[in-house]
């Protein structure tokens, strides 16, 4: 037996209650379409020993085919919002966050759902990206490892957002094991077959993993490469706050590729290049995402890191 | 001298008054950004003998970064809308159409602007597309020929929409010579440097053409390849009107490429292929444009045609 700190198997509760959220952003069509399909016919997402609930989280935004109605639902699951007294005068998404928290939570409680998959699309060239909120969730890390191996040679990257300032209060954060799935590039309001099928395949493997875990399979310790959110980079602006440059053509569509100190980053409207001034190589992602203009974000930088997942088995 | 009917030079009024419209759709960022730039500094669009006015047509939609506020401005320039009594209770875009018609028209009158360029983006993979509304506008046909030659080996296609039912009442239709410019692919709400620069170059050559024409240059007869709008194809739907299929992966992004009888056209969510049933080859375009879901249009078919442009010179 190894004496490594990772050699002991961690015993975890089985994951009986699973939800699949679509329409957290109402104009991200792959998740909206898949969840609507599965609400009509759940055969594809049924697994032995798993109760899986497909759910449209922001039906009014889906109806309007807009990201949100009053405020971003995927930033709304704060302790303040979830504990404020309910009322019809609250912004729609805050009311909705409270309902979702009642149905799938309460967040942080033993009654909360075990796993929530939240399905998103991005206009960035991110491919298939799984988003985790904790580097210490060994169940999720093992799931990432399982999915990566299952879809090879296709690839699927893991974005880890546990940044103290840039982490936000997601819809999926209601669950014990929150998993974001972000697939792109796809314009808002558009459904592309390649993006739709890619998302569908990831969900298939994710549910397979849960079924195997619940059946008692042992998952030995492994490593998982993740990209940890480091910084948010805004567009260059003039004194009035107006954007004066675009993502540089050599950076556009190059999500996950190294950006080195001195590399071109933006191009001003009068043709000047603005270079990356950081002190070390980073891996940008969410490059030129439509929804992040209003969040003053041209892209986020990440650092590549290898995490160790403990060996796990059902308790 | 040739006795061809095309050999006689047509003498046309010079084109003194030119407008460049951006933001007819408020979330199509190349035109919005270029027009805003040029309103601040017009040096780039100044030409000898030409008075060029950059103009944001739908400022409220630009502010919201949405296609429109109440109704599609680019369908609003109908005789009924333009002649209805003005009033604050009219939909915003109808009021705006009336204002634009007063400033740049009246449509169909001798006082109307000579040329209006209207700048659009599409989520479809259409590249640079110039849109004409008449096969008999020899000034515009000569301009198309000039631009195509000037930007070669880059390419720029001409879409001709004079379909009796599918033609619509555009913002640019206020001018004597209306020119639409549609550049893609670009998601709504996103500014991509490659699309921005492509649009900018087309405008440069278009203005150069007008300057040369006004200076008295003779443009000999020529031919122009155009794609004439033929039919609108909707997504397959169920009995309740819900979409049940996506653009087939072999058609997606293949704007302007031949679609032959029997070719795959859609893919249903359960994996079945729907084939094109037409009787002859067509050239689809506006494939999977985000804004056309609400117009029940997956793409339009076109037929390739060669038009003859008469020789022209300033009157
Ligand atoms: Zn989203
Ligand atoms: Zn448009």
């Amino acid at each position: 037996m190894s004496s490594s700190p990772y050699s002991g198997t961690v015993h975890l509760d089985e994951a009986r209650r699973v939800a699949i959220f679509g329409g957290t952003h109402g104009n991200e069509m792959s998740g909206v379409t898949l969840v609507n399909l599965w609400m009509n016919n759940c055969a594809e997402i049924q697994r032995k020993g798993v109760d899986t609930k497909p759910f449209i989280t922001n039906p009014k935004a889906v109806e309007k085919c807009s990201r949100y109605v009053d405020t971003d639902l995927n930033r709304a699951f704060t302790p303040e919002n979830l504990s404020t007294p309910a009322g019809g005068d609250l912004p729609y998404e805050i009311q909705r966050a409270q309902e979702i928290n009642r149905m799938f939570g309460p967040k942080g409680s033993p009654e909360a759902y075990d796993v929530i998959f939240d399905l998103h699309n991005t206009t960035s060239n991110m491919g298939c990206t799984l988003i985790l909120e904790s580097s210490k969730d060994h169940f999720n890390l093992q799931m990432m490892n399982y999915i990566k191996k299952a879809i090879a040679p296709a690839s699927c990257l893991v974005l880890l957002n546990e940044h103290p300032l840039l982490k936000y209060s997601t819809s999926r954060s209601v669950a014990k094991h929150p998993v974001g799935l972000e697939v792109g590039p796809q314009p808002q309001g558009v459904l592309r077959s390649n993006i739709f099928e890619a998302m569908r395949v990831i969900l298939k493997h994710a549910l397979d993993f849960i079924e195997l875990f619940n059946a008692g399979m042992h998952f030995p310790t492994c490593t998982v490469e993740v990209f940890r959110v480091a910084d948010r980079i805004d567009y260059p602006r003039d004194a009035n706050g107006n954007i004066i440059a675009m993502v540089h053509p050599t950076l556009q569509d190059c999500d996950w590729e190294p950006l080195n100190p001195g590399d071109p980053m933006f191009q001003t409207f009068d043709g000047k290049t603005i270079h990356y001034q950081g002190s070390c190589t980073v891996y940008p992602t969410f490059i030129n995402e439509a929804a992040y203009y209003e969040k003053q974000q041209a892209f986020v930088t990440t650092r590549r890191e290898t995490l160790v997942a403990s060996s796990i088995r059902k308790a």
Side-chain angles (χ1 to χ4, degrees), chain A:
Chain A
M1 288 288 289
S2 155
S3 64
S4 134
Y6 306 110
S7 64
T9 292
V10 178
H11 291 265
L12 299 171
D13 290 338
E14 58 182 355
R16 285 261 162 228
R17 294 195 305 159
V18 172
I20 305 175
F21 285 179
T24 289
H25 296 131
N27 54 11
E28 297 176 1
M29 300 311 291
S30 305
V32 170
T33 307
L34 280 171
V35 166
N36 277 328
L37 274 182
W38 293 333
M39 285 181 7
N40 284 327
N41 181 353
C42 65
E44 183 177 342
I45 54 171
Q46 273 176 342
R47 295 292 186 282
K48 197 163 171 299
V50 190
D51 181 16
T52 303
K53 186 175 175 62
F55 188 76
I56 295 287
T57 46
N58 196 335
K60 275 200 191 176
V62 170
E63 176 73 27
K64 293 178 67 177
C65 196
S66 64
R67 183 171 174 89
Y68 55 76
V69 176
D70 292 325
T71 186
D72 192 335
L73 178 62
N74 210 33
R75 305 291 183 277
F77 289 76
T78 61
E80 301 73 42
N81 284 343
L82 298 181
S83 65
T84 203
D89 54 338
L90 289 175
Y92 171 69
E93 278 85 3
I94 310 300
Q95 297 184 45
R96 196 67 189 152
Q98 295 185 345
E99 287 173 49
I100 292 166
N101 190 47
R102 278 194 297 275
M103 293 178 69
F104 298 95
K107 180 170 170 173
S109 77
E111 293 76 44
Y113 262 56
D114 296 300
V115 182
I116 295 177
F117 297 102
D118 196 16
L119 308 186
H120 291 261
N121 292 120
T122 172
T123 64
S124 306
N125 187 28
M126 288 170 68
C128 285
T129 301
L130 288 148
I131 309 184
L132 297 188
E133 309 195 352
S134 163
S135 58
K136 297 178 181 61
D137 183 334
H138 296 282
F139 178 85
N140 271 353
L141 289 174
Q142 285 286 358
M143 190 198 299
M144 301 301 106
N145 180 56
Y146 179 89
I147 295 170
K148 279 169 161 279
K149 289 196 153 56
I151 70 161
S155 93
C156 164
L157 301 178
V158 178
L159 179 64
L160 173 65
N161 188 354
E162 56 180 5
H163 191 286
L165 300 174
L166 300 182
K167 185 171 176 170
Y168 45 86
S169 302
T170 59
S171 307
R172 59 190 175 267
S173 68
V174 164
K176 290 168 186 153
H177 305 290
V179 180
L181 176 51
E182 189 77 65
V183 190
Q186 181 173 269
Q188 297 173 345
V190 166
L191 186 66
R192 289 181 61 100
S193 59
N194 61 331
I195 302 296
F196 177 87
E197 296 298 347
M199 184 176 272
R200 195 174 195 165
V201 166
I202 300 269
L203 256 290
K204 174 202 156 6
H205 294 308
L207 294 171
D208 288 351
F209 168 83
I210 298 174
E211 181 177 42
L212 292 170
F213 176 80
N214 285 356
M217 183 178 275
H218 171 248
F219 294 88
T221 186
C222 65
T223 59
V224 182
E225 181 185 73
V226 303
F227 291 82
R228 183 187 285 271
V229 170
D231 273 308
R232 160 193 293 168
I233 309 290
D234 190 14
Y235 295 92
R237 294 174 189 270
D238 66 16
N240 300 317
N242 297 312
I243 289 175
I244 57 166
M246 305 167 282
V247 169
H248 195 276
T250 62
L251 178 58
Q252 177 70 48
D253 302 327
C254 297
D255 299 72
W256 309 117
E257 293 178 26
L259 180 70
N260 299 304
D263 282 350
M265 181 167 61
F266 295 107
Q267 185 174 50
T268 67
F269 297 136
D270 50 1
K272 294 190 192 71
T273 295
I274 297 175
H275 299 88
Y276 177 58
Q277 302 288 342
S279 56
C280 63
T281 298
V282 291
Y283 299 84
T285 195
F286 279 116
I287 298 172
N288 210 355
E289 157 59 40
Y292 290 169
Y293 279 78
E294 69 176 24
K295 299 187 197 293
Q296 278 85 50
Q297 182 181 301
F299 58 89
V300 290
T301 62
T302 71
R303 304 275 166 78
R304 212 159 60 177
E305 210 172 284
T306 300
L307 299 180
V308 176
S310 297
S311 154
I312 65 169
R313 187 196 288 273
K314 186 173 73 162

